[in-house]
């Protein structure tokens, strides 16, 4: 007789008990360790965050731009915890001292070799079903930005250097560059 072993399911509590300095995300009860980001990754996070925040401020906008590490509790359960590279949150009632409760309006992930599968597949599905309005996957190795506008149910790809329109803002676009 074969005995089927129950797969371990983790909770947000397990994330908070990780050793100091160790980062991980939790998707549907499974822990995914995160490798430290490289310099190019961090420069892209900084540049994109700056451009978005500048646009919001110059238009007296209410949305907040928060780079990682920043906790996002996507669902009303204890089995999902992510740290998007950049989160744009327009409903400030979702913000607490611990992070964001619910889906940010716009999430940007910068792909690294260790996060490729996660960013293009697992997180894509998770973010769409959680209610994120727009999701960008910025891929420095391929020099491509993939934009998922979940409200319009569209997916577009742009090359680095192109004007990439932000779906949640009608008159705003970004030139993504890794220089």
């Amino acid at each position: 007789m074969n005995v089927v072993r129950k797969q371990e399911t983790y909770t947000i509590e397990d994330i908070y008990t990780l050793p100091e300095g160790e980062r991980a995300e939790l998707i549907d009860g499974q822990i995914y360790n995160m490798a430290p980001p490289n310099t190019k990754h961090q420069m892209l996070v900084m540049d994109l965050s700056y451009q978005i925040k500048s646009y919001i401020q110059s238009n007296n906008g209410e949305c907040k731009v928060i780079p990682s590490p920043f906790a996002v509790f996507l669902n009303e359960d204890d089995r999902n915890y992510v740290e998007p590279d950049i989160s744009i949150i327009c409903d400030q009632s979702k913000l607490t001292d611990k992070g964001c409760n619910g889906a940010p309006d716009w999430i940007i992930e910068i792909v690294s070799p260790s996060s490729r599968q996660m960013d293009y597949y697992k997180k894509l599905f998770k973010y769409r079903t959680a209610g994120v309005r727009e999701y960008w996957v910025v891929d420095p190795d391929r020099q491509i930005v993939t934009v998922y506008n979940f409200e319009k149910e569209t997916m577009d790809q742009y090359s680095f250097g192109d004007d990439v329109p932000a779906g949640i803002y009608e008159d705003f676009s970004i030139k993504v560059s890794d220089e």
Side-chain angles (χ1 to χ4, degrees), residues 8 27 50 60 74 76 92 101 107 131 156-157 169 179:
E8 184 91 30
I27 297 182
Y50 175 79
N60 299 313
L74 283 175
E76 292 182 21
Q92 293 184 32
N101 288 320
I107 288 177
D156 296 294
Q157 283 195 325
Y169 298 112
E179 295 176 1

Side-chain angles (χ1 to χ4, degrees), residues 64-67 70 72 83-89 104 106-108:
K64 300 294 180 194
V65 180
I66 307 174
F70 177 69
V72 173
E83 290 186 7
D85 290 319
I86 304 171
S87 300
I88 295 88
I89 300 121
W106 180 9
I107 288 177
I108 300 174

Side-chain angles (χ1 to χ4, degrees), residues 27 35 59 71 84 118 126 131 137 164 167 173:
I27 297 182
N59 288 279
M118 194 72 146
K126 204 70 198 162
V137 180
V164 183
S173 64

Side-chain angles (χ1 to χ4, degrees), residues 9-21:
T9 300
Y10 297 95
T11 67
I12 290 169
E13 193 174 303
D14 295 308
I15 292 291
Y16 281 106
T17 60
L18 289 172
E20 185 72 30

Side-chain angles (χ1 to χ4, degrees), residues 15 18 22-26 31-34 81-83:
I15 292 291
L18 289 172
E22 193 172 313
R23 291 179 56 209
E25 293 179 305
L26 181 70
I31 289 181
Y32 298 91
N33 291 315
M34 298 170 67
Y81 166 99
V82 292
E83 290 186 7

Side-chain angles (χ1 to χ4, degrees), residues 27-28 32 74-75 79-80 82 103 107 109 116-133 135 137 148 150:
I27 297 182
D28 297 327
Y32 298 91
L74 283 175
N75 307 90
R79 296 169 22 114
N80 289 282
V82 292
I107 288 177
E109 294 283 10
R116 187 167 300 284
Q117 288 289 102
M118 194 72 146
D119 293 338
Y120 278 107
Y121 301 104
K122 270 195 192 314
K123 286 185 177 178
L124 170 64
F125 175 77
K126 204 70 198 162
Y127 291 160
R128 186 183 70 213
T129 59
V132 171
R133 294 166 55 197
Y135 175 43
V137 180
Y148 299 93
F150 297 132

